[in-house]
């Protein structure tokens, strides 16, 4: 088999630089770069690109197809990775939890931040959700419930009532101290 000759001679240092550049990229960006180099230096041949640069032939072919069609392929890893938050998995239960927490919430007396403080504990929130009829699978553990309440903007702290200012000891005219 005879490889296509290109008009652009590549030195070993140029090949190393292009390999390094490709190694810094991931996914569709890397495939696009490899396809560009394939077209520029190897006449559009994925096999020759594999020989010259050491890149996977299938990746280069996929990059060429993406370039030709304009459709970028996403891998299942990037689409389906990560664990969804409890609020996303159970939005109805999360709305019920917000209503329960809102009933027990109190604004910070100084009004210097938007955080609502609540007397509601994680265990009490779980108990109230179970009383509403949600089963064990939908209701998380106590430590997870505390994290969820924090994410929703409710801080699990004892609410301190606004304390009146102390009366200052003013000197009266009658005292000579």
């Amino acid at each position: 088999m005879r490889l296509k000759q290109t008009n652009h001679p590549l030195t070993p240092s140029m090949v190393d630089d292009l390999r390094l550049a490709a190694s810094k990229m991931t996914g569709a960006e890397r495939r696009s770069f490899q396809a560009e180099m394939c077209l520029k230096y190897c006449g559009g041949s994925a096999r020759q690109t594999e020989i010259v640069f050491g890149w996977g032939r299938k990746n280069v072919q996929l990059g060429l197809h993406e370039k030709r069609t304009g459709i970028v392929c996403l891998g299942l890893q990037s689409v389906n990775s990560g664990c969804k938050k409890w609020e996303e998995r159970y939005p109805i239960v999360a709305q019920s939890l917000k209503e329960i927490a809102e009933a027990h919430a109190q604004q910070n007396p100084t009004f210097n931040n938007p955080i609502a403080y609540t007397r509601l504990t994680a265990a009490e929130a779980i108990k109230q959700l179970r009383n509403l009829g949600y089963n064990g699978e939908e209701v998380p553990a106590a430590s997870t419930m505390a994290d969820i309440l924090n994410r929703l903007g409710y801080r699990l702290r004892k609410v301190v009532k606004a304390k009146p200012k102390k009366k200052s000891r003013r000197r009266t005219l009658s005292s000579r101290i």
Side-chain angles (χ1 to χ4, degrees), residues 85-87 144-155:
K85 292 185 176 167
W86 179 84
E87 302 91 275
T144 307
M145 179 62 75
D147 291 339
I148 292 167
L149 286 168
N150 282 332
R151 276 198 307 258
L152 294 176
Y154 300 101
R155 299 295 180 250

Side-chain angles (χ1 to χ4, degrees), residues 6-159:
T6 60
N7 297 341
H8 305 284
L10 287 171
T11 63
S13 68
M14 290 172 64
V15 171
D16 290 340
D17 291 342
L18 292 172
R19 283 182 186 162
L20 178 64
S23 71
K24 301 291 182 187
M25 300 176 210
T26 59
E29 184 183 19
R30 176 187 277 186
R31 290 191 302 268
S32 173
F33 176 75
Q34 289 173 343
E36 288 288 335
M37 296 305 106
C38 175
L39 292 171
K40 185 172 183 179
Y41 295 113
C42 300
S45 170
R47 280 187 191 274
Q48 188 169 0
T49 306
E50 181 182 33
I51 294 167
V52 173
F53 296 107
W55 297 328
R57 181 170 68 238
K58 290 185 179 182
N59 283 339
V60 176
Q61 286 173 342
L62 182 59
L64 289 169
H65 291 309
E66 287 176 345
K67 185 168 180 57
R68 181 179 38 101
T69 62
I71 299 171
V72 177
C73 299
L74 295 177
L76 284 178
Q77 176 76 24
S78 62
V79 174
N80 295 325
S81 65
C83 186
K84 290 184 179 178
K85 292 185 176 167
W86 179 84
E87 302 91 275
E88 295 171 0
R89 287 186 286 153
Y90 305 107
I92 297 169
V93 185
Q95 184 60 39
S96 298
L97 177 63
K98 285 180 188 177
E99 291 169 5
I100 291 168
E102 196 61 40
H104 293 276
Q106 178 179 340
Q107 180 65 33
N108 184 358
T110 60
F111 295 103
N112 59 0
N113 59 15
I115 296 173
Y117 294 99
T118 182
R119 292 186 186 114
L120 181 69
T121 63
E124 182 63 26
I126 291 170
K127 182 180 171 186
Q128 289 190 22
L129 284 175
R130 288 199 174 129
N131 288 342
L132 290 175
Y134 296 110
N135 63 17
E137 182 182 318
E138 295 171 329
V139 180
S143 61
T144 307
M145 179 62 75
D147 291 339
I148 292 167
L149 286 168
N150 282 332
R151 276 198 307 258
L152 294 176
Y154 300 101
R155 299 295 180 250
L156 302 174
R157 294 186 187 134
K158 288 184 180 179
V159 178

